[in-house]
Amino acid sequence: MSVERSPLPNMVVSVGMVVALMMATGILWMPSILGVMKGVFQIDAREVGRLASAEAGAFLVATIYASGKPLAALKRLALIGCALLMGANIALVLARDVVPLMPMRVLAGFGTGVGASLVMKVCAMSATPTRFFGIYSASFSVVMILGFQFIGHLVSAWAGEASSVDGLIRVATAVWGVHAALAALASLLLIIGMRGVAREPSAGAARDSAGQAIGVQAAIGLSAIALFFLARGNVWPFLQVMGGSHGFAVTGVANALSMFAVFGVLGSLAAAAIPPAVARSYAIGVAVLALFGGLYALYAPASLLWYTIGCAIGGFFWNFVFALGLGLLARIDATGRACVLGMTVSSAGSAAGPYLAGMLIEGSGYQSVAWLAGGLCAAGFIGVALAETRRVPVEAGTAA
């Protein structure tokens, strides 16, 4: 049984990636902009956490809602998402003192989730899904890094070391304005650059993707991604506090975290470069072995050098396995639905991971977290191997 699919043109897929990146700036830059909003609205850390959770929750709801939509319907939904993003950010710019924060962040999170669903769908329906997933993931990291630098520069220039409220208001207004402008531009690109995207898999492919065998395969692949990102959630949120507990200098820890982001870009590009003929389970298996070394470097020796090496390996690993895992899901489900849900479960895993790790950490002892993360990633590798073994053959020319 083979899945027949007419791949989307590369230009359409590229436009979808650019649109999604424009719509994602609110999520990508969230840590920095929440810090600015904390100073502007004089809210406490608990309220900041609620805002972040509300936006992330709306993002997840949007991806679940959008996962089963045909591409033409998803394009229309993405236009609505752009309107929500524009409206939420313009409202905060024009009526900051009277517009409640929570509903605006919920609207923005839903709009961002729709845009992310669109890019997962179009990448999955391309001729080379893994390559596009890798390029998008790398671009995602680059835009995130640039955004942090952009907001940091504005804060330094306008608010100064004392972070004056008036200066922070100017920063927040500028960033909300940028978000709104990018959403407007994204809507134009959707209309102009994604004409004729009302293309779905053939009727046979649609039936195949709805069959139980493919459903089982997709569930296994999705479970593997969830395990990988549950492990990421165990590690990433605690890197800074763990570095501090070892007595590392703040600048040293910051440099190590930067290596996590930089090597994340390299991991995405490495996944994009792997030939389709290479088994995904082989590539991910090698990456998991490397991760074990990275986890040892992070949690065993109290050395800044080893800590930095561990951060670099971790950043590479999670972007690498994400792109390859999504590419495998694209082979399994020609509709792209599984890839959209892949992003959903990765986000859910990243959200649940810190809670699970927090129950294991005692004082400054983080070794139990390393064992947990390693075990989860080993289980994720087994899931990839099982999903690939049961993989539906794909039509020649449709490479993941």
Side-chain angles (χ1 to χ4, degrees):
M1 180 174 62
S2 64
V3 176
E4 298 178 358
R5 177 170 59 186
S6 178
L8 289 173
N10 288 349
M11 181 57 69
V12 170
V13 181
S14 299
V15 169
M17 290 196 295
V18 173
V19 165
L21 287 170
M22 289 178 172
M23 296 176 70
T25 52
I27 290 284
L28 285 172
W29 305 348
M30 181 188 285
S32 292
I33 190 58
L34 283 177
V36 172
M37 290 166 65
K38 183 177 185 295
V40 170
F41 293 96
Q42 300 296 300
I43 54 180
D44 59 19
R46 182 174 298 179
E47 183 63 20
V48 170
R50 289 197 190 102
L51 288 173
S53 295
E55 189 162 352
F59 177 94
L60 290 176
V61 168
T63 60
I64 295 170
Y65 176 73
S67 63
K69 298 290 183 185
L71 187 53
L74 187 51
K75 177 190 170 183
R76 293 191 294 270
L77 189 59
L79 287 170
I80 296 173
C82 287
L84 292 176
L85 284 167
M86 283 188 288
N89 286 290
I90 290 173
L92 289 170
V93 169
L94 298 180
R96 177 182 60 83
D97 294 328
V98 296
V99 172
L101 278 174
M102 186 68 75
M104 296 302 103
R105 300 329 301 165
V106 168
L107 291 177
F110 189 89
T112 304
V114 171
S117 301
L118 176 70
V119 74
M120 293 293 108
K121 176 92 63 171
V122 297
C123 286
M125 297 175 70
S126 70
T128 53
T130 299
R131 184 174 304 165
F132 279 111
F133 284 131
I135 293 171
Y136 177 72
S137 180
S139 303
F140 196 88
S141 296
V142 169
V143 172
M144 179 171 61
I145 295 167
L146 293 177
F148 291 158
Q149 295 295 323
F150 167 66
I151 296 176
H153 176 75
L154 289 184
V155 171
S156 177
W158 291 352
E161 293 294 330
S163 296
S164 68
V165 174
D166 288 342
L168 290 176
I169 290 173
R170 291 177 63 196
V171 173
T173 301
V175 174
W176 290 326
V178 168
H179 291 336
L182 289 174
L185 184 56
S187 66
L188 291 177
L189 281 176
L190 270 171
I191 295 169
I192 297 170
M194 297 190 69
R195 291 173 179 166
V197 297
R199 104 177 24 220
E200 298 298 323
S202 65
R207 283 194 299 272
D208 287 347
S209 65
Q212 172 137 13
I214 295 179
V216 171
Q217 289 171 266
I220 294 172
L222 288 169
S223 297
I225 291 177
L227 289 169
F228 285 134
F229 279 82
L230 187 61
R232 186 184 187 277
N234 293 164
V235 174
W236 167 249
F238 300 100
L239 285 179
Q240 184 162 346
V241 294
M242 186 181 66
S245 72
H246 283 314
F248 301 148
V250 174
T251 53
V253 173
N255 290 336
L257 296 182
S258 296
M259 294 299 288
F260 190 101
V262 170
F263 273 77
V265 175
L266 296 179
S268 298
L269 295 178
I274 289 183
V278 175
R280 274 40 190 157
S281 56
Y282 293 169
I284 290 176
V286 172
V288 168
L289 292 176
L291 178 70
F292 291 160
L295 290 173
Y296 175 81
L298 272 176
Y299 293 99
S303 161
L304 180 59
L305 174 60
W306 283 110
Y307 173 80
T308 303
I309 291 171
C311 285
I313 293 174
F316 183 97
F317 174 81
W318 275 292
N319 277 29
F320 182 77
V321 299
F322 188 49
L324 288 182
L326 290 176
L328 180 59
L329 288 175
R331 289 182 177 183
I332 293 169
D333 182 358
T335 69
R337 180 182 66 249
C339 290
V340 178
L341 291 175
M343 181 184 53
T344 304
V345 298
S346 70
S347 299
S350 293
Y355 178 79
L356 186 59
M359 294 191 296
L360 297 176
I361 297 171
E362 295 182 4
S364 59
Y366 292 88
Q367 284 79 8
S368 57
V369 175
W371 285 104
L372 175 62
L376 289 170
C377 288
F381 160 70
I382 293 172
V384 169
L386 289 173
E388 191 164 43
T389 299
R390 298 171 56 90
R391 176 173 63 83
V392 176
V394 294
E395 179 185 303
T398 303

